[in-house]
Amino acid sequence: TVAIRHLYHDTDKYQGQIVTVAGWVRTVRDSKTFGFIELNDGTFFKSVQIVFEDQLENFKEIAKLGVGAAIIVTGNMILTPGQKQPFEIKATEIVVEGSCPSEYPLQKKRHSFEFLRQIAHLRPRTNTFSAVFRVRSLAAYAIHKFFQERNFVYAHTPLITASDCEGAGEMFRVTTLDPKNPPLDENGEVNYKEDFFGKMANLTVSGQLSAETFAMAFRDVYTFGPTFRAEKSNTPRHAAEFWMIEPEIAFADLKDDMRLAEDMVKFVINYVLENAPEEMAFFNQFVDKGILERLQGVASADFGVVDYTEAVEILKTCGKEFEYPVYWGCDLQTEHERFLTEEHFKKPVFVINYPKEIKAFYMKLNEDGKTVAAMDLLVPGIGELVGGSQREENLDVLLERMAELGLKEEDYWWYLDLRRFGGTRHAGFGLGFERLIMYLTGMTNIRDVIPFPRTTGQADF
Ligand code: 4AD
Ligand code: MG
C-alpha cells in the first residue's frame, strides 16, 4: 500500500497509476449507482476521495460502510483539476478489514473537547487531535535535533529517586512496603530501610540534579523525559505527569542559559511551521485564529528581559486589580505572569533575579545577597514556559543555603562533590513540553495535548 502522504507529496509520480491505499473511513456518501468515501490513513492530515461504482461486486456492502471502518482500496489515481481535492481514486476493488457499527462515538459532527477527553483512546482519530499529536511528535524530534546538532549529550536520568530537586514536597511516594502492615523501627515509625530502596523513594520532579553530574563530565547535556508532581491544583496548565526538557551547560552563566532557551524555542517553532503546514493551517483556522502570524513573529524577534524587582514595580503601578497582592518577595501568580507577557511586553519575556526565598536551594546567590540568578520565560497565552537558573557553584554558599532550608548534607553528598571536585560555573533550565505544545497549537487545556493525561481524578486508559 502507498501512504496518502506520498500521494499528496508525489502527485505527479502517482497520477494515472493503479495504487492501493489502506485507511479508515471518515465519510461515505452514495447514490444508486456510485458513491464517495473520504479515506484517511493517518500518514497525512488530509484525506483522499475514493469514487466507487456499482460494478464493484460488494457495492452494497461498501455503500453501507460506517464511519470508522478499516478498508483497503485499489484503484486508479486521477487528477481532478478545478475540484476541492486535487485528485481522487477510482476504486476497482475495496476490501473491508474491519467494519464499524453506528454506535461508534466519532460520527461526522463537532464534538466538544470535554467529551473527547472521555474517549481518549479514540480521539487521535479526529482532525484536532491528529494535528496536536503529530505536532507533539515533530516538536519532540526538533528538540533532539536542536541539541544533537550542538553536540549536547542526551542524559537519561532516573525516575525513582530519594532527592526532591525543587523542595516543594510535591512528590509521589514509591514503596514496596505493605501499607497495611509496614515494618516499624525502634521508635514505632515506618522503617523504610527495609524497603527495596533502603530509604524513602519518590518519583522524580526534575532530572536536573543528575543532569548536573553529566554537565561536569560532558559540558553540554540535556534530559528529555517524564517528571511527576503531586499537584493538587486543578488548572488547565498543570498535570501530575508531564515531560520536561532540561539542558545543563558548564562554563556558562545566566545569560548563556537565556540565549539557549530562546534559540531552542525559536528552533522548535520554525521546525514545526516548516514540517506541519497542514496541521498549523488547521489550528490557525479552527483553534486559534492568527497563531501562524504570531509564531512567525516570535521566531523572528528578540525576547524581552526584565528584572523581578522591575516587574513587581510594573505590576504595582499598572492600575489593574489582581486577585493575589503584588509586593517585593511575592511569588508571581499566573495572572501576574500573563499580564506582563500579554499586556505589558506583548511578547515572550524573561523575568530574572528573583528573591531567593521563593526559589530552589541550588540557585546561585547574587552579590546583593537577596536575589538569585534565576530566570523564568513567560509567554502569552501560557505564562511560565521555562524555569531555569545559574547554579550555586560555591560550596560554602551552597551549604549555608541548604542549612537555611533544613536540607541534610548527607542526602546530597554526591551533589556537593560536584562543587568539591572541579566545580565550575554552570546553568540550566527546564522547559515544560506540554506547555510548549499548547503554545505551538493554541490549545488551551493541558489535558488536550497529552495522549492520556494524568491530572486530578484522571487515570483511565
Ligand atoms: O520551574 P520548574 O519547577 O523548574 C524545575 O523543575 C527545574 N529543576 C528546571 C531546571 O532548571 N532544570 O519546572 C520547569 C517547567 C516549568 O516552567 C513548566 O513549564 C513545567 O516545567 N511544569 C509543569 N508542566 C505541567 N504540569 C506541571 N505540574 C508542571 N510543573 C512545572
Ligand atoms: Mg518554575
Side-chain angles (χ1 to χ4, degrees), residues 166 229 359 376 384 386-388:
E166 294 307 299
R229 296 200 187 175
K359 288 292 182 188
D376 276 8
E384 180 187 338
V386 168

Side-chain angles (χ1 to χ4, degrees), residues 28-37 51-65 91 94 96:
V28 190
R29 287 176 291 142
D30 74 292
S31 66
K32 278 205 180 67
T33 55
F34 66 96
F36 300 102
I37 294 171
V51 188
F52 62 100
E53 297 179 342
D54 58 2
Q55 281 106 309
L56 288 186
E57 57 171 70
N58 56 351
F59 176 78
K60 287 217 173 87
E61 181 194 7
I62 300 304
K64 280 210 248 9
L65 274 179
I94 299 182
V96 180

